[in-house]
Amino acid sequence: MPSKPSLILASSSRYRKELLSRLRLPFTAISPDVDETPHAGETPEALALRLSVAKAMAVAANHPGSIVIGSDQVATADGQPIGKPGDFPRALAQLQALSGREVEFHSALAVTDGHQVEKADIVTRCRFRRLSDAAIEAYLRAEEPYDTAGSAKAESLGIALMESIQSDDPTAIIGLPLIALTGMLARFGLDPLDAPGAPA
């Protein structure tokens, strides 16, 4: 029986690495060298999809025969992109602005073998509670979510900031939509349920 192709995650994100490890497939993580500057007039969905494909293809070009996963996430409120705050003052201002509002997270995904590409955009809608400045500051001191778009880690204490979360995939908000990814990998011959140690 031919050996399965190697799997590569085109990312340096520890969150995506932790998520992918849930599928119990051996993989390596390689950071892609991709310019993430948005194009003029590019929608958040188009940006996330383009970057996920670009990341996957950039790594696949140097690793022929491998299956490569690329992913990118863009958060928006009222159609305007929301970046990673980087520090406490920006995160404070960001959460003050998002209090009581809905944020859309576009979690784009691409899988390629260097020739064929599958891609998808999984949308998660998060409505923030109305938050006092004291609550925001307490959250930021506890979690320091400065590397997260929207300043909220929904997989951790950030869930307490939310009034509701709507998505077809609960892992999409964290950065790697595993439901869509599992289907894509299976079509590339890497079904996690065919892996050694998976339940019969």
Side-chain angles (χ1 to χ4, degrees), residues 4-23:
K4 292 187 177 183
S6 60
L7 181 63
I8 301 174
L9 176 65
S11 176
S12 57
S13 164
R14 65 182 177 92
Y15 308 112
R16 291 192 177 112
K17 283 187 268 191
E18 288 168 4
L19 282 169
L20 183 54
S21 68
R22 291 192 197 180
L23 299 185

Side-chain angles (χ1 to χ4, degrees), residues 11 14 23 42 95 115 119:
S11 176
R14 65 182 177 92
L23 299 185
E42 192 170 33
L95 286 177
H115 304 288
K119 59 185 178 179

Side-chain angles (χ1 to χ4, degrees), residues 95 127-129 131 135 139 151-152 157-163:
L95 286 177
R127 180 165 292 280
F128 283 73
R129 294 167 49 200
L131 302 164
Y139 169 70
S151 304
L157 182 59
I159 198 71
L161 304 175
M162 303 299 172
E163 183 176 294

Side-chain angles (χ1 to χ4, degrees), residues 73-77 102-108 121-128 154 159 162 164-177:
Q73 188 178 74
V74 178
T76 65
E102 183 174 275
V103 177
E104 270 194 356
F105 289 84
H106 291 270
S107 301
D121 173 44
I122 310 301
V123 179
T124 303
R125 293 177 176 85
C126 299
R127 180 165 292 280
F128 283 73
I159 198 71
M162 303 299 172
S164 65
I165 297 178
Q166 295 178 314
S167 179
D168 290 335
D169 188 334
T171 58
I173 185 64
I174 310 172
L176 192 66

Side-chain angles (χ1 to χ4, degrees), residues 80-168:
Q80 298 302 308
I82 303 167
K84 298 175 183 177
D87 57 30
F88 179 89
R90 289 187 183 91
L92 177 64
Q94 197 171 73
L95 286 177
Q96 287 171 331
L98 295 177
S99 175
R101 295 174 65 193
E102 183 174 275
V103 177
E104 270 194 356
F105 289 84
H106 291 270
S107 301
L109 177 68
V111 176
T112 185
D113 58 4
H115 304 288
Q116 291 191 265
V117 180
E118 282 204 33
K119 59 185 178 179
D121 173 44
I122 310 301
V123 179
T124 303
R125 293 177 176 85
C126 299
R127 180 165 292 280
F128 283 73
R129 294 167 49 200
R130 294 197 178 277
L131 302 164
S132 67
D133 287 352
I136 293 171
E137 290 186 26
Y139 169 70
L140 293 177
R141 299 292 184 200
E143 193 138 80
E144 300 183 350
Y146 308 136
D147 62 346
T148 303
S151 304
K153 294 182 180 179
E155 72 276 18
S156 189
L157 182 59
I159 198 71
L161 304 175
M162 303 299 172
E163 183 176 294
S164 65
I165 297 178
Q166 295 178 314
S167 179
D168 290 335

